[in-house]
Amino acid sequence: MAVELVKGNDALLRGAVLAGCRTFYGYPITPSSEIAESAASVLPTLGGTFVQSECEVAAIQMVYGAASAGERVMTASSSPGISLKQEGISYLVGSELPAVIIDIMRGGPGLGNIAPAQGDYFQMVKGGGHGDYRLIVLAPNSPQEMCDLAMLAFELADRYRNPAVVLSDGFTGQMMEAVEFPPPVSELPEKEWAVRATAETAGNLINSIRLDPEELEEHVINLFAKYARIEAVEARWEEVQTEDAELVLVGYGFVSRLLKAALGRVRSRGLRVGMLRPITLWPFPSQRLRELADTAKGFLVAELSTGQMVEDVRLAVDGRRPVAFHGRYGGAVPSVDELVAAIEKAYPEEGRSA
Amino acid sequence: MTVVDKTVKGPTVLIQEDLCKGCGLCIDICPPGVLRQDSKLNHLGFHPAIYTGQWCNACGLCFYACPEPGAIVVIKPSREER
Amino acid sequence: MSNSAGSTVIQWPESLYHTFHRKPGGGQESTHYCPGCGHGVLHKLIAEAMDDLGIRERTIFLSPVGCSVFGYYYFNCGNVQVAHGRAPAVGTGVKRALPHSIVISYQGDGDLAAIGTSNILHAANRGESITVFFVNNAIYGMTGGQMAPTTLEGQRTSTTPRGRVIEETGYPLRMSELLSTLHAPVYIERVALTDAKHIMAARRAVRKALKAQVDGKGFSMVEVLSPCPIGWKMEPSKAKEWVKEHLMPAFPLGVYKDVIAEREPRVRSAPELNVEGVEELFAAEPTVERTGEPTWEGIAERYREPQIKIAGFGGQGVLFLGSLLANVALRKNFHVTWLPAYGPESRGGTANCNVVISQDPVASPMVSKPTVLMALNGPSLERFEPHLLPGGVLVYNSTLISQPPSRKDVEVVAVPATAVADELGHTRVANLVMLGAFLGHTGMFTQAEVEVTMDQTLKQAAMMELNRQAVERGFGSVG
């Protein structure tokens, strides 16, 4: 079997192309620029479109235009750039336009630094733009998943007419690992609602204004009915040795790999530790965490932030079990030793004696 | 929808009074000066423009000066019809 | 304008809906515009041109934020409502997706000349094939009469209650003049909706701008000085005079740019799925053929499951060395990860990467305590030597590192990598000499395995012999 050693960022762009995306609008920013560079190299040779926009605000609005026209379209940026895109993201949701947004997270707040971080959980999962909405948020932890989840993001975005986000970090974007690429998508979904500059679509309107409060309320109700359907079927996660786990580790993206390494070490010392890795941050695997709270005696969340996803874990566990937290931030990354120590500390006493 | 009166024989202007907002721009622009403001109010509460009934040369300027799409129709019959 | 039964009828254009079904409440045959407003006039001029050019069905009209926010109530074509100031960016996305479309970006002065200044400037500069109608009425109408970037000196607005003070708020911004300095736009004209002569000139300009797009000529803009009687707090006929007396002197009418005739048409092709193209493109990517089961059989225990740090200065090919080693292992069906230090750190100064090779899936690709350190220059040795695990292997470039490593609890291998590379005539293959020496010393992989991997993954056939020699000399440099 032929495989390739591929960088996460490259795997992601390739996944997008395999998913039928031929259109990229973006602005350079470390550590996501490589995605734009790959797009600039690949898309025009396929007859697609690459535009380096004047700013992030424009990039997301170009995405809005291409999505209005029914294209599978993407943009990629990194935390400060994503902040600038929030206006357009809210409009995309308001107009129910599918689009894929990549955030290769870096240290913040402010200009911060370019080291890997997970401080954008709130702005992507909880909404960083105005109004009531949700984004579908996928969190890869390997180059293989950078490809697979990019493809999935396009599929989900189109299926639900909502923007989907791939939320990753500098390490997952920069690391190389073996990737097996699936065949390219050969057929794209019909979009009867799009404006295609044809007689059939000349009556279509892409719009996010609803001046009448009743009308807007109804629109938001419909959006959230859609979100309820997504929550019911689209949550994805990976579990590692949770069957007998006294302590369940929760981490996403790059951190989950560090947690897995730590898990291997403490298991060899006899601690019954498992891990749940959310693959979708929204919808969040809350139901599964609730179930795990029946058997596990505690949880430990690790993030490259001061604690953002931990809030969702606590909401899911709902006070039934202690939820400990270990965070590093500003671009710092915990060592496996450090995580082992955090696990030792969080490990429930009753579990130790059992 | 404006209904064009096909029975018109000479150049003429038809004003939908209920779509007129009484701005008077058509009156200002009319070269022969054959439009005037009605003393009556229309259902919108404006004094609509009205055609005095003769000497319209169907130049069309009133149509272009009018901000409302449907308020004015200008008809210029062909020579044969005249 | 239409011909009906031999008569010429000037009436409601087909490109405007005849019942404004999207407009809420009653009065679906009249607009939401105030009496005497220029928007309605311009709408009619645009719609009439759309009718006459036969482009209604392929037109996509972008409604901005401003008084014309509800443009989609009226225009009988594809409609996209957009964020404040962003129409030229949205138009870029629409037009590039649909090159056969006619994209109309309809914008007010706040939209185009304040919040969206960068978007209009760059769309114009890229020569996006769209047509912009820029309504300049020197005030913010929709939000209730605040100052616009085009508000005149001394003009009272709700945010310049004592009149616009130039020293405080700058000068009225002349967008037509500004944009006409760019090379890409093909047509820019400023017109005014005042008397018969000017309205008919505006009509011609609207048609010309749309025709330019139909002909694939590129970016065009018509700036329209337009009365806002309510915003200016004056009667419509007075407002029209005010345009003449005050706006026109500040914003002179005229053609600022017209190179339509001399520009060649350029119509992009629409993006296509082109599945075969994708398959072909990616088939050219370097892949390795995985063979056999990964095994450490015959390899000393201390070299198995290595956590490798490779460091040097930028330009020494440190990252490449790591990826080649990772590919060699991958070909043998090992699980591998490669993680570089990235960003400014990787430019100019030191570069390093981490490679993990394992029989099992690799959890963490980070190597904070390496079992193997390959140091290609002095600073790299200084930085990473302390982190090497006791019992680890330290391979260093003895050409550039004169002070040997001080650690006594690790295995030290000196390789004159740069000297050997220089002998081969290419300093930059020192990295391959290092790789050969490391593999030769540990027996982890064979020279033949490296060569097969290079054949499968490296594109530059011309370099192959040199690369092979460098690896060979590396293998040969150790016992």
Side-chain angles (χ1 to χ4, degrees):
Chain A
M1 175 75 203
V3 318
E4 288 176 48
L5 194 62
V6 187
K7 254 191 190 187
N9 281 346
D10 293 339
L12 182 140
L13 193 274
R14 190 136 149 214
V17 171
L18 293 172
C21 172
R22 297 289 175 273
T23 308
F24 183 104
Y25 295 102
Y27 187 87
I29 179 169
T30 307
S32 82
S33 300
E34 281 168 344
I35 302 173
E37 288 164 2
S38 298
S41 155
V42 167
L43 294 177
T45 63
L46 294 170
T49 300
F50 169 85
V51 174
Q52 180 173 325
S53 60
E54 59 269 28
C55 63
E56 298 280 7
V57 174
I60 194 74
Q61 296 294 346
M62 291 171 183
V63 166
Y64 183 96
S68 299
E71 284 296 302
R72 278 201 161 170
V73 57
M74 71 183 293
T75 185
S77 190
S78 188
S79 309
I82 294 293
S83 303
L84 286 164
K85 288 189 198 291
Q86 292 293 350
E87 174 198 46
I89 292 172
S90 173
Y91 277 74
L92 284 166
V93 177
S95 297
E96 291 193 89
L97 291 173
V100 170
I101 299 146
I102 314 299
D103 181 4
I104 306 295
M105 290 184 281
R106 59 184 246 182
L111 204 46
N113 61 29
I114 59 165
Q118 295 181 325
D120 291 4
Y121 185 92
F122 282 161
Q123 81 158 335
M124 288 319 230
V125 176
K126 301 295 175 182
H130 58 284
D132 279 323
Y133 70 87
R134 295 284 182 272
L135 300 175
I136 297 164
V137 184
L138 309 173
N141 79 342
S142 65
Q144 181 69 56
E145 278 196 351
M146 290 289 262
C147 167
D148 296 347
L149 296 186
M151 293 186 79
L152 180 65
F154 282 99
E155 194 184 314
L156 295 178
D158 276 349
R159 189 181 305 159
Y160 296 107
R161 285 187 63 180
N162 199 75
V165 173
V166 177
L167 188 65
S168 190
D169 57 72
F171 273 172
T172 311
Q174 293 295 325
M175 73 179 283
M176 286 205 285
E177 206 167 22
V179 178
E180 287 181 24
F181 290 101
V185 167
S186 57
E187 207 174 331
L188 296 179
E190 278 298 311
K191 298 177 180 176
E192 295 87 8
W193 48 264
V195 287
R196 303 279 305 159
T198 57
E200 300 75 49
T201 61
N204 287 351
L205 166 67
I206 306 297
N207 182 25
S208 67
I209 306 180
R210 284 159 187 88
L211 269 197
D212 177 8
E214 279 179 26
E215 193 193 340
L216 183 54
E217 185 176 47
E218 192 190 324
H219 178 61
V220 174
I221 287 169
N222 289 339
L223 282 181
F224 277 76
K226 177 168 83 178
Y227 293 154
R229 292 200 303 278
I230 298 174
E231 282 184 307
V233 297
E234 301 295 356
R236 288 164 168 80
W237 66 91
E238 179 196 358
E239 282 182 48
V240 182
Q241 293 181 282
T242 48
E243 310 78 29
D244 65 340
E246 299 284 344
L247 179 71
V248 174
L249 312 178
V250 188
Y252 71 94
F254 191 76
V255 172
S256 67
R257 300 185 70 123
L258 304 177
L259 283 174
K260 203 169 177 179
L263 186 153
R265 284 227 224 136
V266 296
R267 274 273 169 183
S268 65
R269 291 184 209 166
L271 297 189
R272 289 199 298 276
V273 174
M275 180 174 83
L276 183 143
R277 170 174 76 96
I279 295 173
T280 52
L281 297 177
W282 192 87
F284 195 69
S286 307
Q287 180 58 35
R288 183 57 192 149
L289 280 165
R290 258 192 294 282
E291 289 163 13
L292 285 174
D294 292 341
T295 53
K297 301 198 175 58
F299 293 81
L300 169 63
V301 178
E303 294 179 65
L304 302 183
S305 79
T306 54
Q308 300 191 9
M309 180 184 71
V310 66
E311 294 190 1
D312 281 334
V313 177
R314 286 186 174 131
L315 280 172
V317 172
D318 200 17
R320 290 158 61 212
R321 303 289 180 189
V323 178
F325 177 74
H326 186 82
R328 293 295 299 271
Y329 18 92
V333 178
S335 66
V336 174
D337 287 349
E338 189 180 330
L339 291 172
V340 166
I343 292 169
E344 296 272 7
K345 195 172 158 212
Y347 196 76
E349 275 311 313
E350 40 186 325
R352 213 179 291 265
S353 56
Chain B
M1 177 76 193
T2 314
V3 179
V4 178
D5 185 352
K6 297 278 170 55
T7 66
V8 186
K9 287 300 167 209
T12 193
V13 54
L14 306 176
I15 297 176
Q16 296 287 315
E17 291 176 25
D18 55 350
L19 298 183
C20 175
K21 290 176 179 168
C23 70
L25 293 179
C26 57
I27 299 170
D28 287 357
I29 208 166
C30 178
V34 298
L35 302 177
R36 66 172 175 82
Q37 206 131 28
D38 199 349
S39 56
K40 295 196 304 283
L41 292 171
N42 67 7
H43 79 115
L44 298 172
F46 298 115
H47 293 286
I50 52 172
Y51 177 35
T52 54
Q54 51 184 338
W55 307 119
C56 171
N57 60 9
C59 70
L61 287 173
C62 56
F63 173 84
Y64 293 111
C66 173
E68 286 299 315
I72 293 178
V73 178
V74 176
I75 305 170
K76 188 177 202 171
S78 60
R79 267 174 211 283
E80 304 82 70
E81 281 181 85
R82 272 192 243 171
Chain C
M1 203 182 294
S2 63
N3 270 306
S4 150
S7 306
T8 305
V9 181
I10 305 169
Q11 64 177 338
W12 205 324
E14 290 301 315
S15 295
L16 291 176
Y17 285 115
H18 285 199
T19 300
F20 307 134
H21 62 282
R22 292 185 179 122
K23 187 172 173 241
Q28 291 191 323
E29 290 190 337
S30 61
T31 68
H32 73 288
Y33 296 117
C34 309
C37 171
H39 280 298
V41 174
L42 183 57
H43 283 17
K44 285 164 74 175
L45 297 180
I46 294 169
E48 190 194 42
M50 286 165 62
D51 281 6
D52 294 350
L53 291 166
I55 56 174
R56 182 185 72 77
E57 288 176 343
R58 62 179 172 124
T59 295
I60 294 175
F61 186 91
L62 309 178
S63 301
V65 170
C67 283
S68 49
V69 64
F70 299 123
Y72 61 86
Y73 285 175
Y74 310 118
F75 282 88
N76 182 8
C77 59
N79 278 280
V80 182
Q81 204 293 317
V82 305
H84 200 19
R86 312 296 170 222
V90 175
T92 299
V94 172
K95 183 74 183 194
R96 298 218 182 198
L98 307 167
H100 72 287
S101 66
I102 300 299
V103 174
I104 295 177
S105 176
Y106 190 104
Q107 303 182 258
D109 41 38
D111 195 84
L112 181 140
I115 199 164
T117 320
S118 80
N119 303 122
I120 187 66
L121 184 71
H122 287 273
N125 192 47
R126 285 190 303 268
E128 297 296 340
S129 190
I130 63 175
T131 304
V132 178
F133 295 111
F134 167 37
V135 178
N136 177 0
N137 56 20
I139 202 156
Y140 280 43
M142 184 180 77
T143 47
Q146 295 85 9
M147 183 189 77
T150 49
T151 291
L152 302 181
E153 180 173 10
Q155 187 182 340
R156 285 174 197 265
T157 71
S158 64
T159 49
T160 54
R162 289 166 292 280
R164 182 174 186 175
V165 179
I166 296 303
E167 292 73 19
E168 301 291 331
T169 60
Y171 292 84
L173 202 50
R174 295 184 177 133
M175 292 305 293
S176 288
E177 287 85 335
L178 192 67
L179 296 182
S180 63
T181 65
L182 303 175
H183 177 80
V186 296
Y187 173 56
I188 294 173
E189 179 169 357
R190 182 184 287 126
V191 297
L193 299 176
T194 54
D195 54 22
K197 186 181 111 195
H198 287 121
I199 289 174
M200 296 321 272
R203 182 170 177 264
R204 283 192 295 277
V206 165
R207 300 166 95 82
K208 185 168 178 174
L210 283 172
K211 181 71 168 39
Q213 186 178 173
V214 170
D215 293 341
K217 293 300 181 84
F219 180 93
S220 58
M221 183 177 88
V222 179
E223 176 175 349
V224 181
L225 302 183
S226 175
C228 179
I230 299 289
W232 300 343
K233 300 181 175 62
M234 51 184 85
E235 289 297 315
S237 55
K238 197 86 198 273
K240 184 181 65 185
E241 292 308 312
W242 198 83
V243 172
K244 279 190 191 170
E245 287 162 22
H246 299 277
L247 277 188
M248 278 162 55
F251 299 100
L253 305 189
V255 177
Y256 284 87
K257 185 155 194 199
D258 181 2
V259 292
I260 294 173
E262 61 215 59
R263 289 279 168 88
E264 289 300 317
R266 190 178 64 133
V267 179
R268 289 191 167 82
S269 52
E272 283 173 30
L273 202 50
N274 187 6
V275 173
E276 300 73 33
V278 173
E279 282 167 342
E280 206 174 299
L281 181 72
F282 292 144
E285 292 292 319
T287 56
V288 293
E289 286 296 330
R290 278 199 282 204
T291 49
E293 285 301 307
T295 174
W296 293 121
E297 215 183 295
I299 310 297
E301 184 70 33
R302 63 184 185 282
Y303 300 143
R304 296 178 181 186
E305 300 287 302
Q307 304 252 331
I308 305 162
K309 174 82 75 182
I310 306 165
F313 60 78
Q316 279 188 308
V318 159
L319 303 185
F320 171 74
L321 163 51
S323 67
L324 178 57
L325 173 57
N327 264 317
V328 173
L330 178 64
R331 200 187 138 264
K332 296 279 285 177
N333 239 326
F334 282 96
H335 292 273
V336 296
T337 58
W338 173 98
L339 179 72
Y342 64 86
E345 196 188 359
S346 65
R347 297 198 182 90
T350 63
N352 73 81
C353 67
N354 309 293
V355 176
V356 180
I357 301 172
S358 173
Q359 286 179 303
D360 302 313
V362 179
S364 170
M366 275 173 56
V367 177
S368 45
K369 290 179 183 166
T371 62
V372 176
L373 171 62
M374 291 189 227
L376 275 74
N377 71 342
S380 300
L381 180 67
E382 267 171 48
R383 182 165 164 207
F384 294 112
E385 186 184 357
H387 302 303
L388 189 61
L389 276 181
V393 189
L394 199 172
V395 186
Y396 75 101
N397 181 359
S398 57
T399 315
L400 299 185
I401 302 171
S402 48
Q403 186 73 27
S406 53
R407 290 276 295 268
K408 299 295 176 225
D409 58 343
V410 297
E411 206 175 323
V412 176
V413 183
V415 184
T418 302
V420 172
D422 284 341
E423 281 172 33
L424 292 171
H426 288 273
T427 306
R428 65 197 164 102
V429 293
N431 55 352
L432 294 177
V433 179
M434 288 288 284
L435 176 67
F438 165 68
L439 294 179
H441 179 79
T442 58
M444 198 177 282
F445 300 110
T446 66
Q447 191 180 325
E449 285 165 347
V450 177
E451 285 176 14
V452 174
T453 308
M454 288 200 294
D455 281 341
Q456 291 181 359
T457 58
L458 301 187
K459 287 174 187 168
Q460 283 181 290
M463 296 291 291
M464 209 52 88
E465 183 49 31
L466 174 66
N467 291 341
R468 203 195 55 74
Q469 284 177 15
V471 173
E472 184 178 27
R473 291 289 298 270
F475 268 92
S477 72
V478 288

